[in-house]
mmCIF file of all heavy atoms in Angstrom:
data_model
loop_
_atom_site.group_PDB
_atom_site.id
_atom_site.type_symbol
_atom_site.label_atom_id
_atom_site.label_comp_id
_atom_site.label_asym_id
_atom_site.label_seq_id
_atom_site.Cartn_x
_atom_site.Cartn_y
_atom_site.Cartn_z
ATOM 1 N N ASP A 393 122.298 181.799 100.095
ATOM 2 C CA ASP A 393 121.383 180.821 100.675
ATOM 3 C C ASP A 393 121.606 179.438 100.077
ATOM 4 O O ASP A 393 121.520 178.425 100.771
ATOM 5 C CB ASP A 393 119.935 181.264 100.457
ATOM 6 C CG ASP A 393 119.595 182.514 101.262
ATOM 7 O OD1 ASP A 393 120.330 182.803 102.223
ATOM 8 O OD2 ASP A 393 118.612 183.188 100.912
ATOM 9 N N ALA A 394 121.894 179.400 98.761
ATOM 10 C CA ALA A 394 122.178 178.117 98.115
ATOM 11 C C ALA A 394 123.429 177.487 98.702
ATOM 12 O O ALA A 394 123.498 176.278 98.931
ATOM 13 C CB ALA A 394 122.336 178.308 96.607
ATOM 14 N N LEU A 395 124.433 178.310 98.975
ATOM 15 C CA LEU A 395 125.677 177.817 99.555
ATOM 16 C C LEU A 395 125.437 177.279 100.959
ATOM 17 O O LEU A 395 125.945 176.222 101.339
ATOM 18 C CB LEU A 395 126.703 178.951 99.594
ATOM 19 C CG LEU A 395 128.145 178.588 99.960
ATOM 20 C CD1 LEU A 395 128.705 177.576 98.988
ATOM 21 C CD2 LEU A 395 129.006 179.837 99.992
ATOM 22 N N LEU A 396 124.631 177.995 101.749
ATOM 23 C CA LEU A 396 124.329 177.555 103.102
ATOM 24 C C LEU A 396 123.574 176.233 103.097
ATOM 25 O O LEU A 396 123.890 175.319 103.853
ATOM 26 C CB LEU A 396 123.504 178.623 103.826
ATOM 27 C CG LEU A 396 124.213 179.936 104.165
ATOM 28 C CD1 LEU A 396 123.204 180.968 104.644
ATOM 29 C CD2 LEU A 396 125.281 179.721 105.204
ATOM 30 N N THR A 397 122.578 176.118 102.215
ATOM 31 C CA THR A 397 121.775 174.895 102.148
ATOM 32 C C THR A 397 122.615 173.713 101.715
ATOM 33 O O THR A 397 122.540 172.620 102.276
ATOM 34 C CB THR A 397 120.602 175.085 101.174
ATOM 35 O OG1 THR A 397 119.810 176.183 101.615
ATOM 36 C CG2 THR A 397 119.751 173.827 101.108
ATOM 37 N N TRP A 398 123.450 173.945 100.694
ATOM 38 C CA TRP A 398 124.286 172.861 100.172
ATOM 39 C C TRP A 398 125.279 172.375 101.216
ATOM 40 O O TRP A 398 125.449 171.185 101.434
ATOM 41 C CB TRP A 398 125.025 173.347 98.931
ATOM 42 C CG TRP A 398 126.017 172.366 98.384
ATOM 43 C CD1 TRP A 398 125.745 171.233 97.678
ATOM 44 C CD2 TRP A 398 127.443 172.439 98.478
ATOM 45 N NE1 TRP A 398 126.906 170.600 97.324
ATOM 46 C CE2 TRP A 398 127.961 171.319 97.805
ATOM 47 C CE3 TRP A 398 128.323 173.345 99.063
ATOM 48 C CZ2 TRP A 398 129.324 171.082 97.701
ATOM 49 C CZ3 TRP A 398 129.683 173.115 98.959
ATOM 50 C CH2 TRP A 398 130.158 171.996 98.284
ATOM 51 N N GLY A 399 125.945 173.306 101.896
ATOM 52 C CA GLY A 399 126.931 172.918 102.892
ATOM 53 C C GLY A 399 126.324 172.092 104.010
ATOM 54 O O GLY A 399 126.920 171.121 104.482
ATOM 55 N N SER A 400 125.101 172.447 104.429
ATOM 56 C CA SER A 400 124.480 171.735 105.537
ATOM 57 C C SER A 400 124.084 170.320 105.162
ATOM 58 O O SER A 400 123.932 169.466 106.029
ATOM 59 C CB SER A 400 123.239 172.503 106.024
ATOM 60 O OG SER A 400 122.245 172.540 105.019
ATOM 61 N N THR A 401 123.912 170.032 103.877
ATOM 62 C CA THR A 401 123.546 168.681 103.451
ATOM 63 C C THR A 401 124.752 167.852 103.039
ATOM 64 O O THR A 401 124.697 166.633 103.044
ATOM 65 C CB THR A 401 122.563 168.736 102.263
ATOM 66 O OG1 THR A 401 123.177 169.448 101.174
ATOM 67 C CG2 THR A 401 121.285 169.442 102.646
ATOM 68 N N GLN A 402 125.858 168.501 102.667
ATOM 69 C CA GLN A 402 127.019 167.776 102.166
ATOM 70 C C GLN A 402 128.085 167.521 103.228
ATOM 71 O O GLN A 402 128.870 166.602 103.095
ATOM 72 C CB GLN A 402 127.661 168.559 101.014
ATOM 73 C CG GLN A 402 126.823 168.581 99.746
ATOM 74 C CD GLN A 402 126.710 167.213 99.110
ATOM 75 O OE1 GLN A 402 127.672 166.647 98.618
ATOM 76 N NE2 GLN A 402 125.516 166.661 99.135
ATOM 77 N N SER A 403 128.140 168.348 104.250
ATOM 78 C CA SER A 403 129.176 168.211 105.264
ATOM 79 C C SER A 403 128.585 167.630 106.540
ATOM 80 O O SER A 403 127.512 168.048 106.973
ATOM 81 C CB SER A 403 129.812 169.569 105.568
ATOM 82 O OG SER A 403 130.388 170.111 104.398
ATOM 83 N N PRO A 404 129.259 166.682 107.171
ATOM 84 C CA PRO A 404 128.697 166.090 108.391
ATOM 85 C C PRO A 404 128.689 167.040 109.580
ATOM 86 O O PRO A 404 127.862 166.905 110.471
ATOM 87 C CB PRO A 404 129.619 164.886 108.646
ATOM 88 C CG PRO A 404 130.879 165.186 107.919
ATOM 89 C CD PRO A 404 130.489 166.014 106.726
ATOM 90 N N ILE A 405 129.614 168.018 109.605
ATOM 91 C CA ILE A 405 129.692 168.935 110.743
ATOM 92 C C ILE A 405 128.837 170.167 110.479
ATOM 93 O O ILE A 405 128.972 170.826 109.449
ATOM 94 C CB ILE A 405 131.143 169.364 111.007
ATOM 95 C CG1 ILE A 405 131.970 168.162 111.445
ATOM 96 C CG2 ILE A 405 131.200 170.456 112.056
ATOM 97 C CD1 ILE A 405 131.584 167.595 112.784
ATOM 98 N N VAL A 406 127.946 170.485 111.401
ATOM 99 C CA VAL A 406 127.059 171.640 111.278
ATOM 100 C C VAL A 406 127.627 172.860 111.994
ATOM 101 O O VAL A 406 127.465 173.990 111.542
ATOM 102 C CB VAL A 406 125.660 171.298 111.833
ATOM 103 C CG1 VAL A 406 124.767 172.524 111.880
ATOM 104 C CG2 VAL A 406 125.025 170.203 110.992
ATOM 105 N N GLN A 407 128.325 172.644 113.105
ATOM 106 C CA GLN A 407 128.754 173.779 113.912
ATOM 107 C C GLN A 407 129.865 173.359 114.875
ATOM 108 O O GLN A 407 130.065 172.170 115.145
ATOM 109 C CB GLN A 407 127.585 174.332 114.726
ATOM 110 C CG GLN A 407 127.008 173.325 115.706
ATOM 111 C CD GLN A 407 125.636 173.680 116.211
ATOM 112 O OE1 GLN A 407 125.271 174.848 116.237
ATOM 113 N NE2 GLN A 407 124.856 172.694 116.609
ATOM 114 N N VAL A 408 130.577 174.366 115.365
ATOM 115 C CA VAL A 408 131.543 174.199 116.447
ATOM 116 C C VAL A 408 131.040 175.020 117.627
ATOM 117 O O VAL A 408 130.759 176.211 117.485
ATOM 118 C CB VAL A 408 132.951 174.684 116.036
ATOM 119 C CG1 VAL A 408 133.888 174.669 117.248
ATOM 120 C CG2 VAL A 408 133.519 173.835 114.915
ATOM 121 N N LEU A 409 130.898 174.393 118.777
ATOM 122 C CA LEU A 409 130.532 175.085 120.012
ATOM 123 C C LEU A 409 131.765 175.165 120.896
ATOM 124 O O LEU A 409 132.378 174.136 121.209
ATOM 125 C CB LEU A 409 129.404 174.354 120.743
ATOM 126 C CG LEU A 409 128.099 174.161 119.961
ATOM 127 C CD1 LEU A 409 127.049 173.517 120.854
ATOM 128 C CD2 LEU A 409 127.589 175.473 119.394
#
Side-chain angles (χ1 to χ4, degrees):
D393 292 341
L395 190 59
L396 291 170
T397 302
W398 174 75
S400 65
T401 59
Q402 290 293 293
S403 300
I405 295 293
V406 173
Q407 62 197 334
V408 172
L409 302 184

